[in-house]
Amino acid sequence: MGRLVRTEGLTEIQEEILKTVRQFVEKEIIPVATELEHKDEYPTDIVEGLKDLGIFGLMIPEEYGGLGESLLTYALVVEEIARGWMSVSGVINTHFILAYLIRQHGTDEQKQKYLPKMATGEVRGAFSMSEPALGSDVAAIKTKATKTDDGYEITGQKMWLTNGGSSNLVAVLVKTDEGDDSVYKNMTAFLVEKEPGFGETAQGVTIPGKLEKMGYKGIDTTEMILEKHQISADQVLGGKPGQGFYQMMDGVEVGRVNVGARAVGIANRAFELGIAYAQQRETFGKPIAQHQAILFRLAEMATKVEAAHSMVVRAARTKDSGERNDVEAGMAKMLASEYCNEVVQDSFRIHGGYGYSKEYEIERLYREAAFMLIGEGTSDIQKMIIGRSLLKDYKL
């Protein structure tokens, strides 16, 4: 382990968890990641290994069979996993967000029903806000739940579900008519149960198939079509309709820390590959690392990795303290994703023509880094969130 992305003040348990995950990444993920990614093959064996390590229950309280760890621990674990293969960190991200939503906002019955099985990975989670005609404009959601005698009937189309095929429980944000003037108070999150796989996975629930992507391969990203899906009122997250938007935004703050951590992991791996190659490749009679241009580039890359890591740690610790971290999470996600792309591009340039070859790992990282710019909200969206909060804090 190099000197980058170290974190002060960790407990012995946190250090042990990170050591175990790091060893798993080195042994089980890095050697097979590029091959599986090029095949767009789901990492079944890796996921089973993460189940055995207890990673699916990392942030689930001990009373429900989890490890009861903090968001900081989760973020640092994500950094390690994304360093090996970013797609694997995506497998656990939406699972964690759903577990967090149930832990923070679910009824006692929902916690008892789902969290123990989520801790073992028996129940695999996903969550859904986006639709084909919208991304960050959550207020424009069209999928609607209509009240019936027995509960609700949901109809609509959702988009960009990570783990859409492999999950069997999805938190779905939809419109409901609660008679409020605010569009945000007319949204409800439902816990939709389904079978893993594609096609009709539950009554009125269809997962058409995997979406083809430039990167972020291996993991299943899907649509979800709901056609008069019948669901009971017991499946409303928290038991009270009209709270869905606020619940989901709380979960998105966790997601933004996750994407920031993923970006740090990718950037750290790109730096490792770049500094190693710079010492092996020779031009004009000496390793290219001894040329000032390359040396300066490596220094800038390492500094960006460290800065992004520090921002992610701060955002996680802020959330763990019980405070809102919308500004901190937005800053961390924005900085980490932008720096990730810059570091990966610099490593790509250090590799020269070989960086363009699929035989070299940096080619995969180059495609994966692009997703960090849009996952959980673009940099422009983060700037809007940060700017509006700053205006409130510094209001004249």
Side-chain angles (χ1 to χ4, degrees):
M1 181 182 177
R3 67 187 298 163
L4 299 185
V5 299
R6 295 184 181 181
T7 310
E8 295 181 358
L10 298 182
T11 65
E12 290 185 10
I13 293 176
Q14 288 174 314
E15 294 281 10
E16 188 61 34
I17 290 172
L18 292 176
K19 179 182 177 182
T20 300
V21 172
R22 191 175 301 120
Q23 291 172 343
F24 182 84
V25 169
E26 291 287 344
K27 183 180 178 182
E28 305 294 340
I29 298 182
I30 290 178
V32 300
T34 297
E35 179 183 359
L36 291 176
E37 199 271 350
H38 287 168
K39 292 180 180 178
D40 199 8
E41 182 176 328
Y42 190 81
T44 302
D45 291 341
I46 293 173
V47 170
E48 291 302 316
L50 292 175
K51 286 183 184 178
D52 293 340
L53 292 179
I55 298 302
F56 280 87
L58 189 64
M59 282 183 65
I60 293 174
E62 293 181 13
E63 63 185 291
Y64 299 109
L67 298 180
E69 276 296 327
S70 62
L71 179 59
L72 174 61
T73 308
Y74 166 55
L76 298 178
V77 165
V78 167
E79 283 186 6
E80 295 290 345
I81 293 175
R83 175 180 162 269
W85 184 13
M86 190 273 287
S87 291
V88 177
S89 64
V91 171
I92 61 173
N93 177 38
T94 51
H95 178 85
F96 271 132
I97 292 176
L98 179 55
Y100 174 82
L101 289 173
I102 294 173
R103 187 191 85 185
Q104 293 297 109
H105 304 288
T107 63
D108 289 339
E109 291 77 12
Q110 290 167 350
K111 294 175 186 178
Q112 293 288 346
K113 181 178 181 180
Y114 294 119
L115 290 181
K117 292 182 179 180
M118 294 189 79
T120 63
E122 180 182 349
V123 169
R124 298 274 299 283
F127 82 110
S128 174
M129 294 192 296
S130 295
E131 297 184 1
L134 66 95
S136 299
D137 184 12
V138 181
I141 281 177
K142 295 181 180 178
T143 300
K144 188 172 182 179
T146 305
K147 285 184 179 180
T148 64
D149 293 338
D150 300 324
Y152 292 84
E153 181 180 274
I154 305 177
T155 296
Q157 186 176 3
K158 308 301 283 186
M159 192 71 169
W160 306 119
L161 275 75
T162 301
N163 294 334
S166 54
S167 62
N168 47 11
L169 182 66
V170 186
V172 183
L173 184 64
V174 304
K175 291 178 67 175
T176 48
D177 184 8
E178 304 306 323
D180 199 285
D181 292 336
S182 170
V183 63
Y184 300 108
K185 293 182 180 180
N186 281 300
M187 293 186 186
T188 300
F190 287 88
L191 300 174
V192 176
E193 296 182 356
K194 69 178 189 64
E195 293 296 320
F198 302 101
E200 187 170 358
T201 57
Q203 177 273 319
V205 178
T206 300
I207 306 295
K210 289 174 62 173
L211 298 168
E212 294 293 330
K213 309 182 295 292
M214 177 179 76
Y216 199 24
K217 294 181 178 290
I219 193 169
D220 47 299
T221 306
T222 74
E223 297 176 76
M224 172 187 266
I225 299 170
L226 300 122
E227 297 178 350
K228 297 183 178 180
H229 174 62
Q230 306 295 320
I231 191 166
S232 74
D234 293 339
Q235 295 303 106
V236 171
L237 178 62
K240 185 179 178 182
Q243 303 298 308
F245 174 79
Y246 306 100
Q247 294 165 343
M248 284 288 194
M249 289 304 103
D250 186 22
V252 165
E253 289 180 9
V254 173
R256 284 177 180 150
V257 173
N258 169 280
V259 174
R262 283 200 245 180
V264 172
I266 295 172
N268 189 27
R269 182 60 178 167
F271 170 78
E272 291 174 347
L273 295 173
I275 198 168
Y277 186 81
Q279 295 173 78
Q280 297 163 0
R281 173 71 167 168
E282 292 190 0
T283 62
F284 305 105
K286 60 183 178 181
I288 62 173
Q290 294 182 21
H291 294 292
Q292 190 179 69
I294 300 298
L295 198 62
F296 282 10
R297 181 162 280 168
L298 291 169
E300 291 176 358
M301 291 163 66
T303 302
K304 289 174 180 178
V305 172
E306 278 292 85
H309 170 74
S310 297
M311 292 287 284
V312 168
V313 168
R314 184 185 178 212
R317 282 181 163 152
T318 299
K319 190 77 169 177
D320 284 333
S321 72
E323 300 178 46
R324 280 211 64 185
N325 75 337
D326 54 338
V327 172
E328 290 80 5
M331 287 180 171
K333 193 275 170 184
M334 179 180 71
L335 188 82
S337 62
E338 295 290 347
Y339 276 179
C340 172
N341 277 265
E342 292 172 15
V343 170
V344 169
Q345 188 174 90
D346 280 338
S347 184
F348 175 82
R349 288 176 173 177
I350 288 171
H351 281 76
Y354 288 107
Y356 207 63
S357 168
K358 286 197 170 186
E359 294 181 15
Y360 281 72
E361 192 176 339
I362 191 64
E363 180 271 343
R364 169 171 60 84
L365 300 185
Y366 195 89
R367 289 181 288 105
E368 290 178 340
F371 177 69
M372 299 296 95
L373 295 171
I374 57 175
E376 306 298 357
T378 65
S379 290
D380 290 334
I381 290 295
Q382 308 310 320
K383 290 174 185 177
M384 289 176 62
I385 293 169
I386 296 164
R388 287 170 179 170
S389 293
L390 291 175
L391 285 175
K392 292 179 182 177
D393 290 342
Y394 288 87
K395 187 175 181 180
L396 296 177

